Amino acid sequence: MTGKVSDLQTVYPFGGGATSGDPRAKDKTIVGGKGANLAEMADIGLPVPPGFTITTEECVRYLNEGGEFPAELRRAVGEAVGHIERSVGKRFGDANDPLLVSVRSGARVSMPGMMDTVLNLGLNDETVEGLAKTSGDARFAWDSYRRFIQMYSDVVLGLDHGLFEEALEIAKEDKGYYADTEMEAEDWQALVAEYRRIAEGELGRPFPQTVTEQLWGAIAAVFDSWDSDRAKVYRRLNDIPAGWGTAVNVQAMVFGNMGDTSATGVAFTRDPATGERAYYGEWLVNAQGEDVVAGIRTPQYLTRTARDRAGAKPLSMEEAMPDAYGELARVFDLLEGHYRDMQDIEFTVERGKLWMLQTRTGKRTAKAALKMAVDMAGEGLIDEKTAILRIDPMALDQLLHPTLDPEAPRDVLTTGLPASPGAASGRIVLDADTAETWAGRGEKVILVRVETSPEDIHGMHAAQGILTARGGMTSHAAVVARGMGRCCVSGASAVSIDLKARTLRIAGRDLAEGDVLTLDGSTGQVMAGEVATIEPELAGDFGTLMEWADRHRRMGVRTNAETPVDCRMAVSFGAEGIGLCRTEHMFFDASRISAVRQMILAEDEAGRRKALALLLPEQRADFAEIFCTMAGRPCTIRLLDPPLHEFLPQGDAEFEELAEATGFGADHLKRRAAELHEFNPMLGHRGCRLGITYPEIYEMQARAIFEAACDVAADGEAPVPEVMIPLVSSKRELELMRALVDRTAEAVFTERSARIDYLVGTMIELPRAALMAGEIAEEATFFSFGTNDLTQTTLGVSRDDAGRFLGAYVDKGVFARDPFVSIDIDGVGELVEIAVERGRGTRSDIKLGICGEHGGDPASIAFCEKVGLDYVSASPYRVPIARLAAAQAALRAGAGDA
Ligand code: ADP
Ligand code: MG
Ligand code: MG
């Protein structure tokens, strides 16, 4: 019954009493997610139509070997078809009582709508008659056959599906029908003849009548779909390796289109948008699978409560088919208990009997993920650690962005389904390519479509939000938008689009491409113009999960911030200190840029000191405000880092302005500016090199820090400044700068008759600094890894210029990921490890942190945990992400040790 090639099976049967002790039969990497879960459902006794799965390994082999099927595979598939035949009691290709199958893709992870499925395979001019007889329903038989020809022609033969749709429209028009449901048996039969003519005309040969040819054609199409353009785009967006391949599931058909006691549907065991513990789903009477998702007919609600809430007329399944619904509800509970997570389910009811066609862990919004994790821990379904590990840290990003201000006025045009939460404003675009182009030039866009299809993926990704006129909560648009974290309003039927004129009408209001629209994915509201937003907060389940995360993490989490607003926000997000305060940001402020420029353009030390004296009170006030906001939490303040010419005037007007302020002539100033020009400023006169050449600059900054600290300590909690010297590569540099800082501190303490604790340390951002860390640690009480510059200097890649080639480098596999987003563990990571080891060798209690962009990237945070850093520092909005990622890293490290 099972096919063996050498010692590894290529085909695994499921259902119909087939069980396998082979762990590969339920291994997602071998049989794909769909296959593994079908086998699992069958094993726990759920009603699953029997079938078999061809392994992903066979797909990879087929694609590598130029589309050939080995004889062993043909034999194994033949035997597995026999398994289905025996279980169902029908034979494939039998003219009297034919077995029909579906051929379904199923990769290791679900790729919604990315690959193609063929239903009703096994129908031909003879078997259709048999099906009509055995079912006693000729209309059903011919409808199934025309669906098969349509799908097979599209998916396997690559014919334009528009041709078939057009023929159907004409047939309906001729008869004066409005809906497909009005078509009679003879109408479908006539249409089948027309379909076959179309197929033959396009192909130059008849539509395949041999059922085994149909089967192998479909298997090949599923394998080939792994390398289709849309699958490739999806893989790239989701970091799915090309080498995984897809499995193929061949399964006995069950029919939801056998009249009014039959139905098909999709459901979630909890609400995937809100996380609420309530069954959530959509179904259609007398329909086949694709009908629900494709948005051809508007689906009905599954439960009575959902229908009441929406005020919808058509009966819920709970009301219309109470027995099948009761059975389904029992299955929901069983599956959730079994998988201990929310399930996304496909089912079909054939003449009153429930069949399960798919289950998988359901995609959900970040909000729902948090609620489900916290609820399930409360229900005892999972423990606290599992709850923490279950949330994708990056998904929190969805919740850390502004939402629409409930007080702001809204010009509501219409309300659709709240398919994916969040708020978005942007300009209307009517197709995916336009979305991508406009977004590429920095515009915020809202993609508006009748409904979306897998071809629209790139546009959905580029858009801030998606609005569709058709389709329910489980439509393509809704599922994909939730997965991407894009806000989406679906099924807004008051939207009508005129693609030719590039205009649209929403409930009587005329709009055009380019007009601004706002979507509220949490309520389904569609509004004209832009609506004001408010800042998010960590309340409810989010707050609870963050508390749990804090209990399990080892590393501290700080923030990179320099304005009181950012500091306050970061603290509200749980930041435990500042990991990087960039003092130069304060220099750009309009009120002081003139003094900064006087300082830079001064001819000598006296001139510089004069200008610095103007800056001192300003810097002191800045630091005092930050220290107050941070209320005793540690603050790492980096002394001036960028090359001075970054602050110079741009253009004649600014030079004239400066000339007026300083009394120097504009020409003189321009000459000084030209003298400061550098060929490679990133490697030029910057960082501690400024402090070494112009000690008075760092001295002023140190004075501002200590005076502010003393002031704040006098009437509140004493701050703990950590003075950080940038771009150090040798011990001597730090020795000089540290002496300067210590001297300044002592002077201030004497003047104020006060004393506060402080640290002096350095950034490790040059490869030489990492290598010399042992010596440098003699002068430093802390290191902070400046991994942005460390990446630039280690790779010899300028971040600002990398745009031209980085894409190609990632595509061609030179870099697995953008090294400025996720730390290059092999190269930059090794330097970090060396510095940690040598630094600790000299000073065992040296404080170690990271302040590059990587401090907010979960994969990099896991690396920081592994090398034993004390804290990570991230931008304010990334602080919660870092807290969760740090907890997960600690939990995983702990699990690894055990
Ligand atoms: P997708 O991954 O796009 O959901 P599926 O393979 O799951 O593709 O199938 C598409 C639709 O066809 C689903 O609604 C599914 O439930 C339905 N379907 C698949 N196989 C069968 C079958 N054997 N009998 C009835 N319906 C099926
Ligand atoms: Mg499916
Ligand atoms: Mg730097």
Side-chain angles (χ1 to χ4, degrees):
M1 165 162 100
T2 52
K4 287 220 175 232
V5 178
S6 61
D7 48 353
L8 288 183
Q9 242 170 272
T10 56
V11 174
Y12 287 90
F14 58 79
T19 45
S20 170
D22 186 344
R24 284 166 44 95
K26 288 186 195 164
D27 180 345
K28 291 187 171 135
T29 64
I30 305 298
V31 293
K34 200 178 281 171
N37 289 341
L38 283 168
E40 184 76 18
M41 281 199 293
D43 273 9
I44 59 176
L46 297 183
V48 174
F52 62 86
T53 307
I54 308 175
T55 64
T56 55
E57 296 159 339
E58 289 307 298
C59 172
V60 175
R61 166 151 62 167
Y62 166 91
L63 292 173
N64 287 342
E65 291 176 6
E68 293 293 324
F69 292 114
E72 311 89 78
L73 181 65
R74 288 186 180 272
R75 207 162 39 239
V77 166
E79 280 174 35
V81 169
H83 155 70
I84 306 182
E85 292 178 330
R86 283 188 298 279
S87 320
V88 180
K90 294 173 192 283
R91 292 206 354 268
F92 193 45
D94 184 343
N96 294 315
D97 188 8
L99 165 70
L100 304 191
V101 295
S102 63
V103 179
R104 323 170 63 185
S105 63
R108 212 184 278 196
V109 294
S110 93
M111 298 167 66
M114 278 302 107
M115 278 177 302
D116 297 311
T117 295
V118 179
L119 300 181
N120 309 331
L121 189 141
L123 281 172
N124 58 26
D125 292 351
E126 286 180 356
T127 56
V128 68
E129 305 281 3
L131 184 65
K133 247 190 295 145
T134 52
S135 66
D137 187 345
R139 182 188 184 280
F140 151 75
W142 287 100
D143 176 30
S144 300
Y145 192 18
R146 70 89 195 176
R147 284 172 187 264
F148 169 61
I149 299 177
Q150 212 168 335
M151 269 193 229
Y152 196 90
S153 299
D154 176 19
V155 173
V156 181
L157 304 174
L159 305 184
D160 176 6
H161 54 94
L163 295 171
F164 299 94
E165 276 151 28
E166 207 174 306
L168 171 56
E169 284 312 310
I170 292 171
K172 282 199 290 191
E173 245 164 58
D174 285 351
K175 290 282 183 171
Y177 297 155
Y178 173 72
D180 289 9
T181 42
E182 294 170 77
M183 295 279 283
E184 308 276 356
E186 308 77 63
D187 301 327
W188 286 128
Q189 183 168 3
L191 188 66
V192 162
E194 178 59 21
Y195 275 11
R196 292 205 43 198
R197 260 195 303 281
I198 295 173
E200 185 158 354
E202 294 290 307
L203 284 173
R205 61 187 154 84
F207 183 86
Q209 289 287 310
T210 323
V211 294
T212 43
E213 183 191 340
Q214 293 176 354
L215 179 61
W216 285 101
I219 292 172
V222 172
F223 281 167
D224 287 329
S225 73
W226 178 254
D227 270 343
S228 68
D229 288 341
R230 66 190 205 208
K232 280 183 186 160
V233 172
Y234 190 91
R235 286 211 297 272
R236 184 156 45 76
L237 293 177
N238 292 280
D239 282 331
I240 297 173
W244 281 4
T246 177
V248 178
N249 303 288
V250 177
Q251 188 176 26
M253 281 301 300
V254 287
F255 299 99
N257 55 337
M258 272 191 166
D260 288 344
T261 55
S262 300
T264 187
V266 293
F268 296 87
T269 53
R270 303 192 186 208
D271 189 317
T274 64
E276 193 193 344
R277 191 178 183 187
Y279 306 139
Y280 187 87
E282 294 173 337
W283 72 301
L284 276 175
V285 179
N286 198 7
Q288 269 198 321
E290 303 282 89
D291 300 353
V292 177
V293 237
I296 294 168
R297 276 160 65 189
T298 301
Q300 297 158 236
Y301 289 92
L302 201 68
T303 62
R304 167 102 213 239
T305 323
R307 173 170 89 92
D308 286 348
R309 217 190 261 177
K313 275 217 193 67
L315 286 187
S316 66
M317 182 172 175
E318 188 175 3
E319 297 156 291
M321 291 188 176
D323 292 344
Y325 175 81
E327 179 68 9
L328 188 61
R330 192 187 65 84
V331 170
F332 286 165
D333 295 346
L334 210 138
L335 285 175
E336 208 179 74
H338 185 75
Y339 288 100
R340 296 179 185 277
D341 203 348
M342 184 266 272
Q343 295 296 296
D344 169 355
I345 286 161
E346 291 174 5
F347 64 91
T348 280
V349 178
E350 180 181 305
R351 292 188 167 153
K353 169 150 175 57
L354 175 72
W355 292 96
M356 301 305 300
L357 291 167
Q358 190 169 336
T359 190
R360 64 182 168 214
T361 295
K363 290 197 195 299
R364 61 204 72 184
T365 62
K367 183 176 163 210
L370 287 167
K371 176 157 176 56
M372 287 181 204
V374 171
D375 282 358
M376 286 182 190
E379 292 158 24
L381 203 58
I382 57 175
D383 61 15
E384 194 175 297
K385 290 179 185 176
T386 309
I388 293 168
L389 288 168
R390 197 164 269 181
I391 311 293
D392 170 10
M394 290 309 288
L396 297 181
D397 202 35
Q398 286 176 37
L399 303 175
L400 292 169
H401 286 292
T403 48
L404 294 182
D405 180 353
E407 308 290 318
R410 300 177 180 207
D411 177 6
V412 179
L413 297 169
T414 184
T415 301
L417 299 172
S420 178
S425 294
R427 297 174 58 184
I428 297 170
V429 287
L430 298 177
D431 65 72
D433 290 339
T434 311
E436 200 176 49
T437 324
W438 290 24
R441 52 176 206 239
E443 302 259 19
K444 292 187 166 169
V445 298
I446 304 284
L447 179 63
V448 185
R449 303 282 286 161
V450 174
E451 60 206 331
T452 63
S453 77
E455 279 85 30
D456 293 326
I457 287 277
H458 61 293
M460 297 173 75
H461 195 73
Q464 307 291 311
I466 297 135
L467 170 64
T468 68
R470 270 197 251 158
M473 293 286 286
T474 52
S475 64
H476 177 266
V479 172
V480 173
R482 281 198 293 270
M484 284 182 180
R486 290 291 177 286
C487 126
C488 175
V489 174
S490 68
S493 52
V495 175
S496 68
I497 301 173
D498 183 342
L499 264 182
K500 275 206 195 87
R502 310 299 287 182
T503 57
L504 66 167
R505 175 174 273 251
I506 305 183
R509 292 265 295 270
D510 289 313
L511 296 147
E513 195 162 52
D515 290 350
V516 175
L517 208 60
T518 297
L519 303 180
D520 184 345
S522 312
T523 62
Q525 283 181 343
V526 180
M527 291 146 279
E530 201 165 331
V531 177
T533 54
I534 49 168
E535 291 301 329
E537 48 174 358
L538 300 196
D541 300 315
F542 198 170
T544 307
L545 201 103
M546 283 294 127
E547 277 168 33
W548 293 356
D550 290 348
R551 279 214 280 273
H552 292 275
R553 70 183 154 88
R554 181 191 60 79
M555 288 190 294
V557 175
R558 297 195 188 183
T559 191
N560 299 348
E562 40 273 324
T563 68
V565 174
D566 280 359
C567 291
R568 253 190 298 280
M569 173 137 60
V571 168
S572 80
F573 285 164
E576 296 160 314
I578 294 181
L580 176 64
C581 171
R582 308 174 189 85
T583 47
E584 61 270 16
H585 283 218
M586 304 162 169
F587 277 33
F588 279 110
D589 200 281
S591 67
R592 48 195 90 157
I593 186 72
S594 160
V596 172
R597 287 171 178 166
Q598 286 178 46
M599 185 265 291
I600 295 170
L601 297 170
E603 302 276 359
D604 51 19
E605 187 184 327
R608 268 191 303 278
R609 283 196 181 273
K610 214 171 103 206
L612 286 166
L614 298 173
L615 285 171
L616 175 64
E618 304 264 7
Q619 284 250 289
R620 187 172 54 220
D622 290 332
F623 292 136
E625 207 176 350
I626 289 175
F627 291 148
C628 281
T629 311
M630 295 311 290
R633 297 176 181 87
C635 298
T636 305
I637 298 168
R638 178 178 70 185
L639 301 187
L640 196 65
D641 182 47
L644 294 180
H645 54 75
E646 279 193 10
F647 301 100
L648 286 180
Q650 310 283 330
D652 287 342
E654 282 191 21
F655 272 104
E656 292 299 342
E657 223 172 87
L658 188 65
E660 218 155 284
T662 57
F664 286 116
D667 288 342
H668 168 82
L669 292 174
K670 282 184 186 163
R671 189 175 40 76
R672 273 295 287 153
E675 281 166 19
L676 286 168
H677 171 79
E678 290 181 301
F679 288 103
N680 198 341
M682 192 190 77
L683 304 177
H685 192 184
R686 56 168 290 215
C688 69
R689 298 159 199 175
L690 295 169
I692 302 264
T693 50
Y694 305 136
E696 56 279 8
I697 300 180
Y698 277 16
E699 188 189 313
M700 180 281 287
Q701 291 197 291
R703 176 166 277 279
I705 292 170
F706 292 116
E707 288 183 357
C710 289
D711 289 350
V712 172
D715 44 42
E717 233 167 323
V720 190
E722 301 178 352
V723 180
M724 180 154 75
I725 312 297
L727 215 73
V728 160
S729 68
S730 71
K731 177 183 158 189
R732 179 66 181 150
E733 286 168 311
L734 192 57
E735 198 172 51
L736 291 166
M737 293 300 98
R738 181 193 167 96
L740 177 72
V741 172
D742 285 344
R743 215 165 43 235
T744 310
E746 285 308 321
V748 172
F749 297 158
T750 312
E751 287 160 29
R752 306 262 163 153
S753 315
R755 182 163 284 280
I756 51 141
D757 288 333
Y758 68 96
L759 304 177
V760 180
T762 183
M763 247 175 144
I764 301 289
E765 52 187 334
L766 294 172
R768 190 175 196 278
L771 297 171
M772 303 304 292
E775 278 192 15
I776 293 174
E778 290 169 21
E779 293 294 327
T781 47
F782 69 87
F783 285 166
S784 177
F785 291 94
T787 47
N788 296 344
D789 270 337
L790 189 58
T791 300
Q792 299 202 88
T793 51
T794 300
L795 273 64
V797 168
S798 144
R799 178 168 61 164
D800 301 326
D801 301 310
R804 299 216 184 112
F805 56 88
L806 208 55
Y809 265 55
V810 172
D811 278 350
K812 298 191 175 172
V814 182
F815 296 147
R817 293 186 60 192
D818 178 342
F820 293 103
V821 171
S822 199
I823 199 163
D824 158 39
I825 290 177
D826 296 342
V828 176
E830 177 155 15
L831 284 169
V832 172
E833 276 191 86
I834 288 171
V836 167
E837 197 189 300
R838 296 186 185 170
R840 284 220 171 104
T842 301
R843 190 186 291 269
S844 61
D845 64 345
I846 191 167
K847 213 191 246 193
L848 301 170
I850 183 174
C851 63
E853 214 63 40
H854 303 97
D857 168 62
S860 310
I861 292 170
F863 168 79
C864 295
E865 172 69 30
K866 201 189 119 234
V867 300
L869 298 194
D870 298 308
Y871 69 87
V872 298
S873 187
S875 61
Y877 280 111
R878 289 241 164 168
V879 165
I881 297 174
R883 284 163 74 191
L884 179 57
Q888 293 184 348
L891 286 173
R892 293 204 175 101
D897 291 341

